[in-house]
Amino acid sequence: MRHAAPCIAPGTCYGLLDVPADPEATQMAAQRLAISLPNPLLLCHSPLQRCEHLALSLCALQANLTSNADGRLREMDFGQWEGRLWADIARHELDAWTQDFTRYRPGQGEDLASMLTRVSAALGEAQQHLQRGTHVVWITHAGVARCVDWLVRQGSLAAALQVTAEQWPLHAPGFGEWQTYAIAPHGVLAALQQAQQG
């Protein structure tokens, strides 16, 4: 599940920037998800407050839940771009990123290869829980959702690391929406349905 709408000006680059989400929208998202939760359930969240507050709101609605902060579920670190308007970032910097999409470090922050690697490790653990019959919910970010989508479609981290900017999925769940995956017969994750609001 993606966090609720953040309290930041539209068009601002924010990844690791720890901005809060709208409190009312966070509560509404928690209420929508709470009525859809399966059991047994492992709840994990990005440590950034826009995700943590949603996880805590969900736990307040479901007394049997505990939430686990997982740094691998945080958004990409955009380094010196954080907090700047996308329109103010130099075109040659954006072009350099698209030309070396997995290895370029936007704003001297994190490269996509590193992000895919950490999300892949978390996804592998989630898959083990699923295979043992425990459902897993992540409260996270659009960038992580895109990583999951790409990793699931490629089937391996090695294949996923070959991505170009043109291939990268643009779709991600909207604020307060989620995407559902399940273990397919051949033992890998497969998307069940498009992002939903509940």
Side-chain angles (χ1 to χ4, degrees):
M1 183 175 199
R2 187 179 179 188
H3 58 80
C7 300
I8 194 167
T12 302
C13 175
Y14 66 97
L16 203 58
L17 190 65
D18 198 10
V19 296
D22 178 84
E24 185 177 340
T26 294
Q27 188 62 36
M28 289 172 55
Q31 290 169 352
R32 284 195 311 272
L33 183 58
I35 62 175
S36 302
L37 290 177
N39 279 304
L41 178 70
L42 173 64
L43 177 62
C44 302
H45 67 84
S46 160
L48 298 179
Q49 63 176 313
R50 56 192 184 268
C51 294
E52 183 176 56
H53 291 170
L54 178 52
L56 294 175
S57 296
L58 189 59
C59 289
L61 295 169
Q62 299 275 350
N64 61 327
L65 282 181
T66 56
S67 187
N68 307 281
D70 188 336
R72 297 171 300 182
L73 305 185
R74 72 187 186 281
E75 185 59 281
M76 177 179 269
D77 178 2
F78 288 101
Q80 298 166 2
W81 293 4
E82 296 279 354
R84 294 175 57 192
L85 292 175
W86 283 103
D88 292 342
I89 297 170
R91 182 76 239 176
H92 73 272
E93 291 185 72
L94 295 170
D95 289 343
W97 184 19
T98 59
Q99 290 166 9
D100 188 11
F101 195 56
T102 57
R103 295 295 175 186
Y104 185 78
R105 294 169 49 217
Q108 300 301 310
E110 179 181 26
D111 63 35
L112 180 59
S114 298
M115 186 176 185
L116 280 165
T117 300
R118 65 175 161 85
V119 173
S120 178
L123 194 59
E125 287 183 19
Q127 188 169 343
Q128 291 173 11
H129 287 289
L130 288 168
Q131 288 171 331
R132 293 193 296 266
T134 299
H135 301 276
V136 179
V137 171
W138 286 0
I139 297 177
T140 188
H141 310 270
V144 173
R146 291 184 182 106
C147 286
V148 170
D149 180 67
W150 183 248
L151 287 160
V152 168
R153 286 198 281 141
Q154 296 308 304
S156 73
L157 177 60
L161 289 174
Q162 305 305 311
V163 65
T164 64
E166 293 77 21
Q167 296 169 317
W168 187 244
L170 297 178
H171 175 77
F175 297 123
E177 296 181 351
W178 63 87
Q179 170 75 46
T180 305
Y181 294 86
I183 295 290
H186 49 288
V188 300
L189 285 173
L192 281 183
Q193 54 199 27
Q194 292 301 313
Q196 58 184 343
Q197 292 186 342

